Amino acid sequence: MPTTDEGSHDPDLVEDRGTLDVRNKALQRIVEHIVLRVPGTVTHRSTLGRITGMALPKAEITTEGRAARVKVDIAMAWPGNISQVATTVRDTVRQEAFRLSGIQIRSVDVTVHAVDPSASDDTGRRVE
């Protein structure tokens, strides 16, 4: 029968895990992926965006040691509750980005730039 002593390590303990160095670009991609998992958000590329390469969602990360501030620009399907979607994005990014990266997210600023009436909902139906 195994016994617990100071020399044994539980792999599930946070302090026994290695370190993780997540660069801004990696955290940016993580945040953009998290945003698209929030119901009501969609990928959006405007005509100008096709030329400049700008697409939504787009995250901007400012790191401060082992913490970060996030600004994220999103698009959402119409009809939808803009306030509710933005709040859900903020809360989900804060929780999931920390869970996936280990970086404390101090703040998440969400700006809805586009509301897309041609986007589909989660069932694949057109939302009109």
Side-chain angles (χ1 to χ4, degrees):
M1 181 161 170
T3 61
T4 303
D5 64 328
E6 291 181 7
S8 67
H9 295 284
D10 182 350
D12 293 329
L13 292 176
V14 174
E15 58 270 6
D16 287 342
R17 297 180 193 166
T19 60
L20 178 63
D21 183 22
V22 179
R23 304 278 184 219
N24 282 10
K25 192 69 166 178
L27 186 56
Q28 176 187 351
R29 296 290 183 237
I30 289 169
V31 168
E32 291 168 357
H33 177 74
I34 291 167
V35 167
L36 289 175
R37 293 177 52 204
V38 173
T41 62
V42 295
T43 300
H44 179 78
R45 185 180 302 263
S46 67
T47 304
L48 182 58
R50 289 185 182 106
I51 297 167
T52 64
M54 174 66 170
L56 299 174
K58 181 71 174 166
E60 180 183 319
I61 311 297
T62 304
T63 55
E64 304 163 344
R66 293 292 301 155
R69 296 186 188 280
V70 175
K71 292 182 182 178
V72 65
D73 301 311
I74 69 169
M76 59 175 282
W78 183 259
N81 182 320
I82 293 172
S83 178
Q84 181 180 22
V85 170
T87 299
T88 303
V89 165
R90 181 197 64 212
D91 295 344
T92 303
V93 165
R94 180 174 278 146
Q95 293 168 356
E96 288 298 297
F98 175 72
R99 185 181 71 79
L100 294 170
S101 71
I103 294 176
Q104 182 69 40
I105 307 300
R106 291 200 176 159
S107 66
V108 180
D109 295 329
V110 180
T111 304
V112 179
H113 283 273
V115 179
D116 191 345
S118 64
S120 298
D121 65 10
D122 289 341
T123 64
R125 297 175 300 195
R126 279 182 64 94
V127 178
E128 298 186 285

